[in-house]
Amino acid sequence: MNWLISFFAWMGEFFGNGENWSGPGGIPMRLLEHLEFSALALLLAVLVAVPLGLVIGHTGRGEVLVVISANLARALPTLGLLVMFVLLLGTASIWPVIIPLVLLSVPPILVNTFEGIKGVDPDLRDAAYGMGLRGGQVLGRVLVPVALPLILLGCRLSAIQVVATTTVAAYTGLGGLGRYVIDGFATKDYAGVVGGSVLIVLFALVVQLLFTLAQRVTVSPGVSRRVNVR
């Protein structure tokens, strides 16, 4: 019970401190930095993984790449990658942080995009070809709309993972919400550790909610019912 009391006391201390809401180290600025890192990493991962997943799922060529990607997602250590790229590239830019985040974000998007395309009912493919559609048209007009729920699921999983792991950006001296956690542990400012952790969790929940809303808006009701039935 004491830990719970301490938790809420530290939260009150952190969020009630006016200095934490202004300046370059304030919550709005740290949140903006965290959003910048996360959005850039996710965008690059989507640009790489979605086209690859679409092509591999549609043609069936390169499936081994999907398997390797799925296994790498479980094996790659975020902090180890970060340290390696910092040693290689230095800390003069954000790329030592962005590259590991992209590498960790690609597998869920690639795997779900591939599975979404590959799992489309073969009868739908045959019907599309029977109507005179060609390969690219079948992919864009038939397969992608049906696979969209799984594609968005992969993006959502990667987005949440990126938001959570962007915390490690603070190890390189960059900003983001991770600064509160890393600096808090270094200076035994446990109010900062708790406050930063709460902000990261809330940020991840907001991202999940936004992707859930995006799926409801972009996925047709008929496709949603097919997915729910499965």
Side-chain angles (χ1 to χ4, degrees):
M1 193 65 179
N2 290 335
W3 68 268
L4 189 60
I5 295 174
S6 298
F7 177 82
F8 283 107
W10 284 326
M11 276 189 59
E13 179 184 344
F14 178 79
F15 290 104
N17 187 348
E19 294 181 358
N20 290 332
W21 293 93
S22 60
I27 293 173
M29 184 59 66
R30 293 302 186 202
L31 185 61
L32 185 62
E33 292 169 345
H34 206 96
L35 176 61
E36 177 186 353
F37 300 148
S38 302
L40 178 57
L42 182 63
L43 175 61
L44 292 175
V46 168
L47 292 177
V48 171
V50 170
L52 270 178
L54 293 177
V55 172
I56 295 172
H58 184 46
T59 63
R61 299 173 183 173
E63 293 188 15
V64 65
L65 179 63
V66 178
V67 175
I68 293 174
S69 174
N71 291 329
L72 283 177
R74 302 185 183 96
L76 289 176
T78 307
L79 187 55
L81 284 173
L82 176 66
V83 172
M84 182 183 73
F85 280 105
V86 166
L87 292 175
L88 291 174
L89 303 177
T91 58
S93 69
I94 63 174
W95 293 109
V97 173
I98 297 300
I99 294 174
L101 290 176
V102 172
L103 292 176
L104 292 168
S105 303
V106 164
I109 302 174
L110 176 59
V111 171
N112 279 274
T113 301
F114 165 75
E115 291 293 344
I117 297 297
K118 185 180 179 182
V120 174
D121 191 336
D123 291 340
L124 289 177
R125 294 174 183 261
D126 294 340
Y129 284 116
M131 294 172 60
L133 298 181
R134 297 182 178 181
Q137 294 173 318
V138 172
L139 179 63
R141 297 184 185 181
V142 179
L143 303 186
V144 170
V146 175
L148 193 56
L150 274 179
I151 296 173
L152 290 176
L153 173 61
C155 294
R156 175 160 58 92
L157 293 174
S158 288
I160 295 171
Q161 182 178 9
V162 166
V163 168
T165 54
T166 297
T167 304
V168 301
Y171 275 107
T172 66
L174 294 177
L177 297 175
R179 282 255 62 93
Y180 296 123
V181 178
I182 303 302
D183 292 346
F185 275 121
T187 61
K188 295 185 179 180
D189 176 16
Y190 298 116
V193 174
V194 170
S197 301
V198 169
L199 287 171
I200 293 168
V201 171
L202 291 176
F203 192 3
L205 290 175
V206 169
V207 169
Q208 178 162 331
L209 176 61
L210 291 176
F211 270 95
T212 301
L213 293 175
Q215 180 169 334
R216 290 187 178 182
V217 171
T218 58
V219 178
S220 67
V223 173
S224 297
R225 283 194 293 271
R226 288 174 61 89
V227 172
N228 291 333
V229 168
R230 290 181 183 178

